[in-house]
Structure formats: C-alpha cells, structure tokens
Amino acid sequence: SGYTAHEAIKNPIVKPYDFINQDTSVTDVGFHGTHVAGIFADCAPDNFEIMPLAVFDDEGASTSTIDLAIRYAVDNDADVINMSLGIEGEGAEDLTALDDAIDYAYKNNVPCVVAAGNGDLPTELSYPANNAQTIAIACIDDEGNRSTFSDYGKEVAFSAPGEDIVSTSSDGTHYLTASGTSMSSPHMAAMFTYAKYFSTNATVSDLYQSVLGITTDLGAVGKDDDTGNGVAKVSTDNLPAFAHC
C-alpha cells in the first residue's frame, strides 16, 4: 500500500517506486505497507535498507503491477523481497501470472518471502504462497500455535508471530495493532536478509538452509503443515552461524 516515513524506522530508504502513479512518491494509501516496514525494521539492524514499492490503490493490486515490482526489486539489487499480499480461494491453485517474475527473482538469488494467507485455507488455494519458488510464512500466536485464521499446508516453509502486532502507523508518529500473515512475513524476510548479508552470493536454496539452522521447531516434530519448519530468530548465540552459510 506504500510507505510513509515514521520516526521509529531508522533504516535507509532506497529506490522507492509507486507503480500506480509511476513516480517515487510511495506515500501509504492505508496503513499496511508502513506497518509491515516497521516489523521488518524491528527485526533487522538499522543499517539494513528498505526499498518500498507501492502496488496497491484503493481497489487492490493487479498481478501485472506486482510482476513489474518484483522485477524492479531484482534489477535494483534487492537482497530479499517481502510480499505481504496474495489471492485466496477456489481457482488460486491455477494462477500463474507471477510465476515468471518469481522465477526471475529465484534465478538471481533473491528470495520471495510471502504471506501464507488469512483464510484458514490450504495454502494450495493461496497465490503466490503456493508457488514452489516462494517461501510461504504462516502466522502463530504467542504460544507458538498456528493462528486460527492462518492458511496451512505443505507449502508453509516457516511461521512467525502475527497476532496483535504493534507496529508503525502511516501518520508518522503513532502505532497501531494488526493481525495477519502479512505481519508474519516481514519477520522472516528480516531473517533471510541476515543470511544474505553474510553470504551475498548464496542461492535461495542456500539461504533457506542457513535460516533453517537458526529455526526452532514448533508443533509436530519436523516440518508440518501448520508451522512449517518453525520460527527463526537471530540472537548473539546463533548469529555466527550465518557467517558460515
């Protein structure tokens, strides 16, 4: 939905672009983009850059616009793409409109971390979370259980907190609370950015394995449909593991 500068976000903003108005003014048309950026900033060091790309207007976003944004991010040296968006429901399993752009990112070693979806549906009915080259993130509650609204399925790679998350508001000074896999995705995007920082030439598969190394299993032992491989968190104890990925 865009990004509005907030006093709590210290990260440098680089190469912003509004694909709706075709300019570099990415002022948030709602709250979503700024809220998501605040979560990423809270999970990442201040020197990690943020590239806000606006693809939504008041009526939503088109796949053609999202396609352009993915390619723009790759061409402008993004390390990781966070996609707190998706299309859910019957027919989503047949969607392919973003596949070429996602493949372009994948082949250029840029992970696409995506929200699993909020319909309490199998992730095969959520696009692009059902794309095999994306990294789908489910939502968990404070106790590490899948949130009742979160999509689930074999496509879920990881999970992260996403219930009642307090983050930055698009008014520039205040904060608001929101829930959804959109709030979970930037948490894991930050983890992949850490991995990319320590291994700039790593493939998406290599980065996945690196993040897996700092992941705490949740739910059933091993990867499961509700929480994927679990939740990753960087600490002073496990940060050196990234340096060897």
Side-chain angles (χ1 to χ4, degrees):
S1 62
Y3 169 78
T4 300
H6 193 284
E7 62 185 16
I9 299 177
K10 309 300 184 184
N11 307 67
I13 302 301
V14 298
K15 300 177 182 177
Y17 196 76
D18 184 334
F19 288 86
I20 302 301
N21 297 310
Q22 299 184 2
D23 59 33
T24 58
S25 176
V26 292
T27 303
D28 204 340
V29 296
F31 74 91
H32 193 266
T34 305
H35 195 271
V36 167
I39 296 169
F40 176 87
D42 188 52
C43 295
D46 288 348
N47 64 324
F48 279 23
E49 298 171 337
I50 297 175
M51 182 189 297
L53 303 179
V55 297
F56 280 82
D57 58 21
D58 293 337
E59 297 181 356
S62 69
T63 53
S64 60
T65 302
I66 299 169
D67 178 290
L68 290 173
I70 294 171
R71 295 176 188 275
Y72 176 96
V74 175
D75 291 342
N76 285 277
D77 302 321
D79 291 317
V80 177
I81 297 172
N82 179 73
M83 299 171 66
S84 290
L85 50 79
I87 301 169
E88 291 183 278
E90 294 296 332
E93 69 272 26
D94 298 321
L95 295 176
T96 61
L98 300 177
D99 287 2
D100 286 348
I102 292 168
D103 183 64
Y104 180 64
Y106 188 89
K107 288 177 177 176
N108 281 278
N109 303 329
V110 181
C112 290
V113 181
V114 307
N118 303 322
D120 187 25
L121 295 169
T123 39
E124 65 185 81
L125 299 179
S126 180
Y127 185 75
N130 58 12
N131 178 294
Q133 292 179 315
T134 64
I135 299 162
I137 312 300
C139 182
I140 53 173
D141 61 21
D142 290 341
E143 297 181 354
N145 300 310
R146 179 178 70 88
S147 300
T148 56
F149 56 78
S150 179
D151 287 357
Y152 55 88
K154 62 181 175 57
E155 293 83 2
V156 172
F158 298 94
S159 49
E163 288 193 27
D164 299 324
I165 303 298
V166 178
S167 186
T168 45
S169 167
S170 57
D171 68 3
T173 56
H174 293 90
Y175 298 82
L176 56 83
T177 302
S179 298
T181 56
S182 282
M183 285 70 239
S184 305
S185 184
H187 175 108
M188 290 305 303
M191 300 303 102
F192 274 84
T193 307
Y194 267 108
K196 194 69 176 282
Y197 177 80
F198 285 106
S199 189
T200 55
N201 296 318
T203 66
V204 174
S205 179
D206 291 337
L207 296 172
Y208 187 104
Q209 291 302 314
S210 182
V211 172
L212 194 60
I214 63 156
T215 296
T216 300
D217 190 20
L218 299 173
V221 176
K223 187 175 184 295
D224 62 78
D225 288 356
D226 283 348
T227 61
N229 290 295
V231 61
K233 184 177 181 180
V234 170
S235 70
T236 54
D237 293 331
N238 64 26
L239 190 59
F242 276 141
H244 301 289
C245 66

